[in-house]
Amino acid sequence: MLRTGWYEVPNGLGPFDVRRGDRVLHGGRWCTVLDLYSPGSSGRGRVLHLDNGRLQLLRPPERLRVYRRTGRR
C-alpha cells in the first residue's frame, strides 16, 4: 500500500530540479509551484509561478526547501 502525503527533499533543490506541484518555502509561507519558465534571453535559472500569484526567480547557485507529494491520490 502506498502512503500519500508530503516529504521534504533533502539538501534543497536547485532551479532545474523543481517540478510543477512541488511545495516551496516563499516569504515564510509554503506555496505550490504552478508553472516554470525560462527567464528571457539570459536563460539563467528558472522563474517559478506560485499559487499565491507571485513569480520567483531561482538562479543556479540558489537552493530551496522543497516538499514533494508521495504516492497516488
Side-chain angles (χ1 to χ4, degrees):
M1 181 171 134
L2 291 174
R3 297 186 68 196
T4 58
W6 296 91
Y7 69 96
E8 184 173 6
V9 178
N11 303 324
L13 292 180
F16 301 102
D17 303 318
V18 177
R19 302 180 195 162
R20 286 185 188 101
D22 284 350
R23 307 262 309 154
V24 298
L25 190 60
H26 176 72
R29 303 183 106 178
W30 289 98
C31 300
T32 302
V33 176
L34 299 178
D35 211 353
L36 301 147
Y37 308 102
S38 292
S41 61
S42 73
R44 295 189 178 181
R46 300 284 278 195
V47 176
L48 309 179
H49 180 194
L50 305 174
D51 66 349
N52 62 1
R54 298 201 178 242
L55 301 174
Q56 178 179 357
L57 175 62
L58 186 60
R59 294 182 178 96
E62 296 174 344
R63 310 298 265 176
L64 279 178
R65 285 185 63 194
V66 175
Y67 275 78
R68 190 165 278 165
R69 187 175 284 282
T70 61
R72 298 180 198 146
R73 288 185 187 184

